[in-house]
Amino acid sequence: GCRAHSKDRGAGRTSALNHYRAAPMAIDVPFRSDRGFDALYGLEVTHASQELMRGRVTVRDELRQPAGLVHGGVYAAAAESLASTGTALAVLPEGKIAVGLSNQTSFLRPITEGTIHAEATVKHQGRTTWVWEVEISDDAGRLCVLTRVTVAVRDIPHLPGDARESV
């Protein structure tokens, strides 16, 4: 992933990782993030488990590319967020984090209005990687996008000043 261009790269990350450690391993649905990229494009999680994630995004002008179609990045972002969140529900209690490793998205049919519906199903739950298939459909239930997301499972990094270092 990208790192901030700051002299103190660890600032802010320690509190974010401590938040992950303390977070409950369930999500009350529907859930809509109030910050970060998911909030920017409007992902709402409607079902959350380690095997199945569902979400939706309401189409609006800001999400369309110049030809009037929903931008492909919206689909890829929603797929990766659902897959990473589903993986995190399982691995955070084990002291692990879930981060996107690869995202392969195929656009089959455009969506221009209404709601984007995404359903992510886990296909592989390994020690270091999970693989998810994400089907994205329109309001008519037509398959519009297929995405395969691979999520890396890693130990939560030890950061300077982390309480675990003194144990």
Side-chain angles (χ1 to χ4, degrees):
C2 295
R3 288 198 168 134
H5 298 291
S6 166
K7 289 182 181 179
D8 187 8
R9 287 188 211 156
R13 288 194 334 202
T14 301
S15 63
L17 289 174
N18 286 335
H19 170 75
Y20 283 139
R21 285 189 200 106
M25 295 302 98
I27 297 174
D28 291 328
V29 293
F31 171 79
R32 185 183 300 263
S33 180
D34 61 354
R35 60 189 169 100
F37 190 60
D38 290 343
L40 187 66
Y41 68 88
L43 177 64
E44 180 180 19
V45 176
T46 59
H47 178 87
S49 74
Q50 12 183 326
E51 294 87 23
L52 178 69
M53 295 287 297
R54 287 191 188 107
R56 62 184 170 221
V57 177
T58 301
V59 175
R60 58 186 201 278
D61 286 340
E62 298 84 1
L63 303 181
R64 293 185 181 99
Q65 42 98 314
L69 313 175
V70 171
H71 191 285
V74 175
Y75 304 121
E80 186 159 327
S81 288
L82 292 173
S84 294
T85 301
T87 304
L89 289 173
V91 303
L92 283 172
E94 302 167 2
K96 308 281 185 183
I97 58 171
V99 293
L101 186 61
S102 71
N103 181 323
Q104 191 276 320
T105 301
S106 297
F107 309 106
L108 310 175
R109 169 190 298 271
I111 297 177
T112 58
E113 61 186 5
T115 303
I116 299 163
H117 303 271
E119 182 172 284
T121 306
V122 70
K123 298 297 182 180
H124 169 75
Q125 296 174 319
R127 186 178 53 82
T128 60
T129 58
W130 284 38
V131 178
W132 293 76
E133 296 252 330
V134 185
E135 293 188 358
I136 298 176
S137 58
D138 61 12
D139 284 330
R142 297 175 297 195
L143 181 62
C144 299
V145 178
L146 280 174
T147 301
R148 175 170 287 176
V149 179
T150 302
V151 179
V153 176
R154 301 292 184 261
D155 290 329
I156 293 176
H158 296 281
L159 301 172
D162 191 331
R164 292 181 302 163
E165 286 185 352
S166 61
V167 175

